[in-house]
Amino acid sequence: MLAEGLPSPLIEHAAVMAGMPVGPLEVLDATALSLSVHVLDQTREDFAAEGRRYSANAGELLVERMVKEFARPGRAAGGGFYDYPKGGDKSLWPGLKTHFEKPFHADPLAAQRHIKQRLLYRQAVETARCLQEQVLTSSHDANIGSIFGIGFPAWTGGALQFVYAEGLDNFIANCATLTQQHSEGFALTPEVIQTLRDYQN
């Protein structure tokens, strides 16, 4: 979303308002942007070894710029998307506004609702994929794991419960819309949809 030019405070605030412990930019800082770049570099090498070229998405390229161009590898190094001054409170790095954010003219409340939907749906889609691939083997694991593992809002009852609370057909339709608007990250394969129907029954 930051790669699209959305204001970083709006992204972070929307995540917290949705019930997540912290915003996605702070999560990336904590896990280290440099680790994400290492994974990206390794993926490129693996693809090259197979005679293929890996096309990084806009978010991956943004994180790469943060590390390689701006020398901001994450919280442990004192700076990533946030500044972490010793003895002081963290704050969003002013460079985000300079280098990535675009002029914002949308209704802030409407934008916040849409960001919240994107954050919740993206995580729910990944949970559904994990069920389909049998990385998760029960609805209990899907719900509890999403809350304690990835910080999915507890008020939802978990990612799978969120899907069914939305209404499965409504969730599927919204995923199709989000896929058209944003990325394939929201796409549901027929196999994933069938898995969701199976777990609903």
Side-chain angles (χ1 to χ4, degrees), residues 10-80:
L10 182 62
I11 297 168
E12 295 293 88
H13 184 66
V16 173
M17 291 301 292
M20 297 171 195
V22 297
L25 301 179
E26 188 173 350
V27 170
L28 282 168
D29 272 0
T31 56
L33 303 183
S34 54
L35 176 61
S36 297
V37 172
H38 175 73
V39 171
L40 176 59
D41 288 340
Q42 186 62 54
T43 301
R44 284 171 171 152
E45 289 179 18
D46 293 344
F47 269 62
E50 297 174 2
R52 299 185 293 156
R53 182 177 179 275
Y54 180 73
S55 297
N57 63 43
E60 290 171 323
L61 294 174
L62 185 150
V63 171
E64 185 174 46
R65 285 189 67 195
M66 287 289 293
V67 174
K68 295 183 177 180
E69 183 177 339
F70 303 118
R72 300 189 64 83
R75 180 173 183 169

Side-chain angles (χ1 to χ4, degrees), residues 1 6 10-20 108-123 152-153 155 162 166 178 186:
M1 286 182 267
L6 289 174
L10 182 62
I11 297 168
E12 295 293 88
H13 184 66
V16 173
M17 291 301 292
M20 297 171 195
L109 291 178
Q112 185 181 81
R113 284 193 297 270
H114 189 65
I115 291 169
K116 286 166 63 177
Q117 182 191 43
R118 289 174 67 180
L119 291 169
L120 292 171
Y121 268 64
R122 188 68 185 84
Q123 293 177 79
F152 201 80
W155 64 264
F162 169 78
E166 289 282 280
L178 289 167
F186 294 98

Side-chain angles (χ1 to χ4, degrees), residues 32-191:
L33 303 183
S34 54
L35 176 61
S36 297
V37 172
H38 175 73
V39 171
L40 176 59
D41 288 340
Q42 186 62 54
T43 301
R44 284 171 171 152
E45 289 179 18
D46 293 344
F47 269 62
E50 297 174 2
R52 299 185 293 156
R53 182 177 179 275
Y54 180 73
S55 297
N57 63 43
E60 290 171 323
L61 294 174
L62 185 150
V63 171
E64 185 174 46
R65 285 189 67 195
M66 287 289 293
V67 174
K68 295 183 177 180
E69 183 177 339
F70 303 118
R72 300 189 64 83
R75 180 173 183 169
F81 291 115
Y82 283 79
D83 284 324
Y84 300 92
K86 291 183 179 179
D89 295 330
K90 69 179 185 296
S91 60
L92 284 161
W93 178 48
L96 297 179
K97 187 172 185 65
T98 305
H99 299 291
F100 302 116
E101 296 175 19
K102 297 176 182 175
F104 183 75
H105 305 293
D107 174 8
L109 291 178
Q112 185 181 81
R113 284 193 297 270
H114 189 65
I115 291 169
K116 286 166 63 177
Q117 182 191 43
R118 289 174 67 180
L119 291 169
L120 292 171
Y121 268 64
R122 188 68 185 84
Q123 293 177 79
V125 166
E126 284 304 314
T127 301
R129 288 176 180 164
C130 287
L131 272 173
Q132 190 271 320
E133 295 171 5
Q134 297 187 333
V135 174
L136 298 169
T137 57
S138 72
S139 57
H140 177 269
D141 289 349
N143 287 321
I144 298 300
S146 65
I147 293 170
F148 291 103
I150 60 174
F152 201 80
W155 64 264
T156 63
L160 193 60
Q161 184 61 36
F162 169 78
V163 170
Y164 298 132
E166 289 282 280
L168 183 52
D169 289 338
N170 184 53
F171 179 80
I172 292 168
N174 287 339
C175 282
T177 299
L178 289 167
T179 300
Q180 291 178 340
Q181 291 175 341
H182 300 292
S183 77
E184 288 296 314
F186 294 98
L188 298 173
T189 65
E191 293 79 11

